[in-house]
Amino acid sequence: MKNLSVLISGASIAGPALAHWLTRYGCTVTVVERAPAVRPGGQAVDFKGATHRTVLDRMGILGDVLARQTGGQDQTIVDATGRPRAVIPGEFTGGDIEIRRGDLAGILAAHTDCEYLFGDTVTALTETADGVDVTFADAGPRRFDLVVGADGIHSNVRRLAFGPERDYVRYLGYHYALAELGEDVADGEAVMYNEPGRMAAVGGPKASAFFVFAAPELDYDRGDTEQQRKLLIDAYRGAGWRVPELMAKVPGAREFYLDSLSRVTIDRYSRGRVVLLGDAAYGNTLGGFGTGLAIVGAYVLAGELLAADGDHRAAFARYEDRFRGYAEVAQRGSAGPFLAPPSPLRIKLRDWTFKSRFLLGLMLKATDKFATDIELPDYALGS
């Protein structure tokens, strides 16, 4: 595939993972990323089961990932007085391997030999018989053989090639926020508190403070962090436990991110010479499988292009056929009602799940099954 040029939009997880494989297979790859550099920090992500571990090993990064893993941490669910109600074990929240998203992105970037265009974005795509003419916000126009949208649930490439976000992204009734409020808010302990439709956690794997709350779909500027901070503070007015203390720190949070819990549903992953990967194609916010799907999806997409000797029509069809069933795990639920149950009874039932070894064991077995439910060819061996 030495003559194949590929533009990948997105430099978080899925994009660099795909770039790693495509450059190994001889393609010329360019990755465009809106952020000015690989973004450090961020919430913890995890891998589960033999399939994820096999792909990491074949990439040659398993050792680096293991060296940077955070280790799953138990999280205590408490009532308004701080009294423990239940414990969520680290193996449930952190999978087999847990690592900070920024650390993983850095490892992937270090193992990828390709061109990066940071601080830029795609503004137009025009497909021709010979390729895709791409216009950028800053860089000059260029032509690529293929374009990959690996730019998340709010994918810009999907919008340009497939249509508006509202046609493919379904709001699931909840929003979440990550805020770095300082290590002193947790004192090294991971604690979670619930009221109906609201969850606040400190010291857990996501950030120093993590919030999930039920709400009508909020209308806000995704680039206006101050507006988003105010939305979070308004959503938690009147809450008990330590919430007033945490909300008082939100305006000065070193890092802050708010988004909806949403699910991507799309009939086809590709259109012509444009294909979607990761959350852009099969995202489900906080669903617990996004990073694994991104890594495995990149492996399969690149492998099918290799097997088809760069014939994108055949490769994209095989990628979809092989991967869609595996990606369905991301379509099966919403983390919102689990993390922020809508009633006192639902909170009690959720807590009881973690008190029952039998029910917890069933959940862990189910996640292991979903994470390994795919046949993984060794494309380098032609099998």
Side-chain angles (χ1 to χ4, degrees):
M1 299 196 294
K2 291 184 183 300
N3 294 323
L4 199 68
S5 63
V6 183
L7 173 69
I8 301 171
S9 177
S12 180
I13 305 302
L18 179 65
H20 169 90
W21 287 112
L22 291 180
T23 53
R24 180 185 290 191
Y25 296 153
C27 298
T28 301
V29 177
T30 298
V31 179
V32 60
E33 167 59 44
R34 188 187 302 270
V38 175
R39 284 175 282 190
Q43 73 272 24
V45 297
D46 59 84
F47 297 102
K48 303 176 178 72
T51 297
H52 295 176
R53 189 178 284 263
T54 296
V55 173
L56 294 173
D57 186 42
R58 289 179 182 175
M59 293 180 76
I61 66 171
L62 178 59
D64 290 341
V65 171
L66 291 174
R68 301 297 295 273
Q69 65 179 324
T70 59
Q73 183 180 10
D74 292 349
Q75 190 168 38
T76 303
I77 304 171
V78 299
D79 64 17
T81 67
R83 183 176 59 186
R85 296 173 55 98
V87 175
I88 304 176
E91 61 184 318
F92 181 81
T93 60
D96 297 338
I97 305 170
E98 182 183 85
I99 183 173
R100 291 283 183 185
R101 187 209 58 79
D103 289 345
L104 177 61
I107 291 170
L108 289 168
H111 283 78
T112 304
D113 183 16
C114 69
E115 177 189 21
Y116 278 87
L117 299 177
F118 286 110
D120 207 347
T121 188
V122 176
T123 58
L125 298 170
T126 303
E127 183 165 343
T128 70
D130 300 323
V132 184
D133 291 329
V134 180
T135 303
F136 298 94
D138 291 324
R142 292 165 64 175
R143 173 172 290 186
F144 297 88
D145 294 313
L146 304 175
V147 174
V148 182
D151 43 358
I153 280 185
H154 304 294
S155 171
N156 181 46
V157 166
R158 188 187 60 226
R159 177 181 62 82
L160 293 171
F162 290 75
E165 181 172 308
R166 64 177 177 272
D167 292 345
Y168 304 106
V169 179
R170 176 190 168 197
Y171 175 59
L172 298 177
Y174 288 78
H175 286 73
Y176 75 102
L178 302 164
E180 290 295 341
L181 304 183
E183 298 300 325
D184 59 324
V185 300
D187 294 327
E189 186 178 7
V191 182
M192 186 173 93
Y193 168 72
N194 280 111
E195 293 176 358
R198 297 193 285 199
M199 182 275 278
V202 295
K206 297 297 180 186
S208 69
F210 174 42
F211 306 92
V212 177
F213 60 97
E217 189 167 9
L218 300 176
D219 182 17
Y220 60 93
D221 180 352
R222 293 186 59 238
D224 188 342
T225 304
E226 294 308 310
Q227 181 191 21
Q228 295 169 32
R229 294 173 197 255
K230 185 178 184 303
L231 288 172
L232 178 67
I233 292 169
D234 289 344
Y236 279 81
R237 292 195 186 281
W241 187 56
R242 297 176 54 197
V243 172
E245 168 203 344
L246 299 176
M247 290 299 111
K249 292 177 177 289
V250 166
R254 185 174 72 254
E255 295 179 21
F256 182 87
Y257 181 80
L258 181 140
D259 204 350
S260 64
L261 266 68
S262 299
R263 176 188 299 128
V264 176
T265 303
I266 195 164
D267 292 336
R268 294 185 59 82
Y269 296 159
S270 63
R271 179 167 291 180
R273 292 175 175 269
V274 180
V275 65
L276 302 176
L277 174 68
D279 283 350
Y282 29 81
N284 186 356
T285 318
L286 303 183
F289 290 90
T291 306
L293 288 173
I295 291 288
V296 179
Y299 175 81
V300 173
L301 175 56
E304 293 301 337
L305 279 166
L306 177 67
D309 196 25
D311 180 345
H312 67 277
R313 296 176 186 86
F316 291 172
R318 285 289 297 157
Y319 160 58
E320 178 128 14
D321 181 61
R322 187 180 294 279
F323 200 75
R324 181 171 283 276
Y326 182 61
E328 285 299 316
V329 64
Q331 307 299 315
R332 298 184 182 186
S334 168
F338 182 81
L339 293 170
S343 68
L345 177 59
R346 292 281 294 274
I347 292 173
K348 289 181 180 179
L349 291 174
R350 190 277 316 276
D351 294 350
W352 185 61
T353 300
F354 291 108
K355 295 178 182 179
S356 167
R357 289 186 178 181
F358 175 72
L359 292 176
L360 178 59
L362 287 180
M363 287 196 297
L364 290 171
K365 286 182 180 179
T367 58
D368 286 346
K369 178 180 182 298
F370 293 145
T372 57
D373 191 19
I374 186 173
E375 180 184 350
L376 204 64
D378 190 339
Y379 293 103
L381 297 178
S383 61

